[in-house]
Amino acid sequence: MRRWRSPDACIGRRRPTSVGRDRRRRARARGRSCPQRAASVRPGARGCGQPSRPSRATWQHGRVTAATHSSLFPHAPGASQFPAPPRDADAVLDGLDPEQREVATALHGPVCVLAGAGTGKTRAITHRIAYGVRAGILQPSSVLAVTFTHRAAGEMRGRLRQLGAGGVQARTFHSAALRQLQFFWPKAVGGDMPRLLDRKVQLVGEAAARCRIKLDRSELRDATGEIEWAKVTQTVPADYPAAVLRAQREAPRDPAEIGQLYAAYEQLKRDRGVIDFEDVLLLTVGILQERQDVAEQVRRQYRHFVVDEYQDVSPLQQRLLELWLGERDSLCVVGDASQTIYSFTGATPDHLLDFRARHPQATVVKLVRDYRSTPQVVGLANGLLSQARGRAADHRLELVSQRDAGPPPTYTEYGDEPAEAEGTARRVRDLIAAGVPAGEIAVLYRINAQSEIYEQALADAGVPYQLRGAERFFERQEVREAGAALRGAARFGGNDALLDEVADLPSQVRAVLSTTGWTGEPPAGSGAVRDRWESLAALVKLAEDFAAARPGATLADLVAELDERAAAQHAPTVQGVTLASLHAAKGLEWDAVFLVGLTEGMLPITYARTEAQIEEERRLLYVGVTRARCHLSLSWALSRSPGGRPSRRVSRFLGGLRKGGGAGAAGAAGAVGGVERG
């Protein structure tokens, strides 16, 4: 009988030739070029721009080390970047705190790990897998660890290799499903698997044309996002309008139109014989549901599952996980409902919060020892969540800092946005002068359109910066289009009827930008249309500020100013301050974090209306706060422009926090965390 091999064993499998050896050498070289960086303060390592000193966490619980550092891996001068793995299974447990050890040794039955920010969840679950492998309880090839980003999956694989568990598969949901789909398609369906679309926007555009629905580029991106949301929530086109109503979701267009567009898009895919990213999950689910023999093959291969960031699981991903598991319960999930910030993509914390109800015999472990942030930062984070409401708030974790005291968070009110940006740039420059590396500083904001003023302020202050998760302001499509329109108006404005009745520079700019989609009032809802409007509104504001600073300036003068700014900000930077939206900052951390623009209408964002939407905005700020290891600054501006009416109000989320932070900020005195057994 022919022996069945797993998809992971067969796909891309090569004979052990010199080619295979070369590939392994390249893989090792890649690992050496990207050594694992501890996600929180390491004993003996520099933190907050200060000289080295031993961490308190090394003595609080009998030589327990910080959450992302292991005493197993000392780096002596000249030592290899690949230290020897632990000598035996028990050595894998060295350096874990009591709750992390509970996670690592809970190898039977369902396990739910509720892990706060900075508490070492990745450390706990990788040591759990490694302990099971080294103890002979888990076979490496039978374990599938699933997370949400390729970066996180790569980090997990690297840690497992260091711990002597290199044969374990660590993948994203999509990559794991794609490999299974490629392997089983000939058997379950027959023939070649359909081609996978790289980008679905073009096909959505063709579907819109077929439906005679006119969409500009931004509306097209929003419509594509709605189709993705519908698919991960397992909503068919006919049910889309009702699903939007149930979810209290603000569709970018009439829901009936989106449903029609969705149906046309699906038909086009069938006509062309292609599938999209979401279809990978849908088709894998379909095959596992319809073909019991295929499902049994997968279940024979994978017997133990670990899911990271479980609060971000969509209904479709949860269904796939259930099919992988079958009737078994060898599942460990890790998450934090207080960090659910992607509900607009279909993510929901309900699966995490309902885990004990679905698995009454589950072991629940709470990780609350925060090794990342100082007591002052942790106190603010706890205080922020203490005001939260809703189901996720009922399950919040109160963190306990394991670090020495640091500076208190600062709260700064500015008269206008330019003053806030300039003040932030000055403080960033001061931190760099005090020894904090530029790469360990971040400026975080709610929407990408806020980046321009901080790009300019940092450039003016001579501070290098890098953008994360977004194009530079002057590289955005809408900004380039607006620049071209302004340039044309500056050259041929004398023959443009649009400018005949407007005299001052800001009015001229508003008139020109009205042809590119700008309006006096922002569009309803979020998404690409709103982002486009915010970018154009930033240009209008820039024109107003420019005219106020240079009375008599012409449209040509403004265009020259824009060109200069664009040229200055295109200069390459290497090690620089990170500029990022709060969403893009998830999973990252810095020594110093500046949270800017904290006003009503921005955080919470103006289109957050329901209590659930408001609470997600609060969680977004919580994620921002918990990115900081030591220095944390929160700021806001009372008006948009210099001399403007100070009509803005500070974000409601800061109410009551400026006078004293929150509870649970102190060190590890007393019992923390906890274990509940079914």
Side-chain angles (χ1 to χ4, degrees):
M1 180 182 294
R2 183 180 172 211
R3 185 180 177 187
W4 175 80
R5 290 193 298 267
S6 76
D8 285 314
C10 294
I11 293 176
R13 188 171 183 267
R14 298 182 182 178
R15 295 188 301 275
T17 63
S18 61
V19 174
R21 288 193 295 272
D22 288 345
R23 185 181 62 180
R24 289 192 293 274
R25 281 196 293 268
R26 287 196 298 272
R28 288 195 295 271
R30 282 195 298 272
R32 283 193 294 271
S33 67
C34 299
Q36 294 296 317
R37 185 184 186 278
S40 66
V41 171
R42 303 177 295 277
R46 178 202 52 76
C48 302
Q50 301 301 317
S52 318
R53 61 184 174 196
S55 168
R56 281 169 43 189
T58 60
W59 52 261
Q60 282 172 344
H61 297 286
R63 296 170 34 139
V64 171
T65 58
T68 54
H69 173 79
S70 173
S71 57
L72 300 170
F73 308 139
H75 286 280
S80 168
Q81 294 287 356
F82 290 94
R87 59 189 178 277
D88 54 33
D90 287 341
V92 173
L93 303 178
D94 288 352
L96 298 182
D97 71 28
E99 292 76 39
Q100 291 170 349
R101 186 178 286 250
E102 288 284 353
V103 174
T105 55
L107 295 171
H108 300 286
V111 178
C112 178
V113 184
L114 302 176
T119 58
K121 64 181 179 63
T122 305
R123 176 181 173 83
I125 57 176
T126 52
H127 281 246
R128 177 184 189 270
I129 295 169
Y131 177 73
V133 169
R134 300 297 297 275
I137 299 171
L138 305 178
Q139 292 298 316
S141 61
S142 72
V143 180
L144 179 60
V146 189
T147 187
F148 282 81
T149 66
H150 292 292
R151 180 184 64 81
E155 179 184 358
M156 193 176 291
R157 285 193 296 271
R159 293 194 188 198
L160 288 169
R161 280 196 301 270
Q162 288 184 345
L163 291 166
V168 173
Q169 294 294 316
R171 300 188 178 278
T172 65
F173 268 102
H174 281 89
S175 66
L178 180 59
R179 290 176 73 87
Q180 292 177 19
L181 192 63
Q182 290 170 328
F183 183 76
F184 290 116
W185 187 276
K187 175 180 180 178
V189 182
D192 295 330
M193 195 183 90
R195 179 174 61 86
L196 183 62
L197 276 173
D198 290 331
R199 295 176 69 250
K200 60 174 70 70
V201 172
Q202 183 176 349
L203 209 59
V204 174
E206 291 185 43
R210 179 176 287 191
C211 297
R212 298 186 179 181
I213 299 173
K214 292 185 178 180
L215 300 175
D216 64 24
R217 185 179 284 101
S218 297
E219 292 172 322
L220 192 57
R221 290 201 299 267
D222 284 343
T224 302
E226 283 301 292
I227 290 173
E228 291 171 352
W229 174 83
K231 297 183 80 165
V232 300
T233 55
Q234 299 177 282
T235 302
V236 298
D239 294 342
Y240 171 78
V244 167
L245 192 63
R246 281 196 307 273
Q248 295 182 297
R249 187 176 179 86
E250 193 155 356
R253 294 179 71 91
D254 177 58
E257 261 190 347
I258 296 289
Q260 181 188 5
L261 176 62
Y262 178 13
Y265 167 74
E266 291 297 311
Q267 185 59 52
L268 265 177
K269 285 200 290 112
R270 287 191 290 271
D271 294 344
R272 306 274 174 88
V274 296
I275 60 175
D276 62 26
F277 207 48
E278 290 70 41
D279 289 331
V280 170
L281 298 183
L282 285 164
L283 289 168
T284 306
V285 164
I287 288 174
L288 294 176
Q289 286 181 159
E290 297 298 323
R291 293 290 299 264
Q292 187 64 27
D293 57 332
V294 171
E296 287 303 319
Q297 282 188 328
V298 173
R299 292 166 191 162
R300 282 198 297 271
Q301 170 65 28
Y302 294 121
R303 300 177 179 275
H304 310 279
F305 296 86
V306 177
V307 184
D308 194 11
E309 302 287 3
Y310 194 54
Q311 78 278 354
D312 290 333
V313 165
S314 70
L316 180 57
Q317 290 164 333
Q318 175 65 20
R319 180 61 186 140
L320 177 59
L321 179 62
E322 290 167 356
L323 288 166
W324 282 340
L325 274 167
E327 298 300 317
R328 300 164 302 172
D329 63 359
S330 186
L331 171 66
C332 175
V333 301
V334 189
D336 179 8
S338 297
Q339 296 188 69
T340 306
I341 59 173
Y342 295 110
S343 65
F344 61 91
T345 67
T348 170
D350 289 345
H351 306 300
L352 176 67
L353 299 179
D354 292 338
F355 192 85
R356 191 64 178 272
R358 294 196 312 275
H359 303 280
Q361 301 305 311
T363 298
V364 179
V365 184
K366 296 180 180 179
L367 303 183
V368 298
R369 303 175 198 269
D370 188 319
Y371 298 94
R372 174 187 299 162
S373 305
T374 63
Q376 288 72 20
V377 173
V378 168
L380 175 54
N382 286 340
L384 183 61
L385 285 190
S386 70
Q387 304 174 9
R389 294 182 291 180
R391 192 171 181 221
D394 293 340
H395 294 79
R396 67 181 180 269
L397 299 169
E398 187 158 304
L399 303 179
V400 181
S401 176
Q402 307 297 292
R403 293 197 49 177
D404 290 336
T410 64
Y411 302 85
T412 310
E413 181 174 278
Y414 293 94
D416 52 69
E417 285 183 7
E420 183 180 11
E422 292 164 9
T424 300
R426 282 194 303 272
R427 296 186 60 193
V428 166
R429 190 175 56 195
D430 292 344
L431 278 177
I432 294 173
V436 180
E440 289 293 347
I441 302 173
V443 178
L444 307 181
Y445 34 75
R446 176 61 178 84
I447 58 173
N448 287 324
Q450 291 173 273
S451 76
E452 190 275 333
I453 196 168
Y454 291 94
E455 292 178 54
Q456 186 62 46
L458 290 172
D460 290 345
V463 175
Y465 66 87
Q466 54 186 338
L467 266 80
R468 182 178 181 87
E471 298 170 295
R472 293 176 184 271
F473 181 79
F474 287 103
E475 293 173 2
R476 295 173 195 165
Q477 181 68 29
E478 62 269 23
V479 175
R480 291 202 303 268
E481 292 173 355
L486 291 169
R487 196 170 290 107
R491 291 183 63 188
F492 307 110
N495 300 320
D496 193 340
L498 191 68
L499 303 179
D500 285 347
E501 297 182 5
V502 291
D504 62 286
L505 177 59
S507 297
Q508 290 176 342
V509 171
R510 293 188 200 100
V512 173
L513 295 190
S514 67
T515 65
T516 67
W518 182 81
T519 58
E521 292 296 322
S526 59
V529 172
R530 178 72 184 220
D531 289 344
R532 176 185 177 88
W533 184 89
E534 295 283 1
S535 294
L536 297 177
L539 285 176
V540 171
K541 175 183 173 298
L542 193 150
E544 292 169 349
D545 294 344
F546 186 68
R550 291 181 54 182
T554 65
L555 200 54
D557 295 330
L558 176 65
V559 168
E561 171 72 9
L562 293 177
D563 288 342
E564 284 184 21
R565 287 176 177 241
Q569 292 175 19
H570 286 168
T573 59
V574 186
Q575 169 79 332
V577 172
T578 299
L579 292 175
S581 70
L582 288 164
H583 282 102
K586 178 75 166 64
L588 303 174
E589 59 186 83
W590 297 269
D591 282 350
V593 170
F594 291 81
L595 301 174
V596 299
L598 303 181
T599 59
E600 288 290 306
M602 189 56 73
L603 199 71
I605 198 76
T606 186
Y607 47 78
R609 298 188 180 94
T610 67
E611 180 176 305
Q613 291 168 338
I614 295 293
E615 288 305 314
E616 182 146 338
E617 294 288 299
R618 187 193 306 276
R619 294 194 295 271
L620 193 56
L621 179 57
Y622 174 79
V623 166
V625 167
T626 54
R627 299 312 93 195
R629 299 192 193 105
C630 184
H631 304 279
L632 179 62
S633 170
L634 304 94
S635 65
W636 59 95
L638 297 179
S639 69
R640 188 182 69 178
S641 306
R645 188 164 63 89
S647 57
R648 291 177 173 176
R649 292 182 294 121
V650 63
S651 170
R652 71 189 74 177
F653 301 144
L654 300 188
L657 295 182
R658 285 180 274 171
K659 293 184 178 179
V672 295
V675 182
E676 300 173 17
R677 305 186 191 282

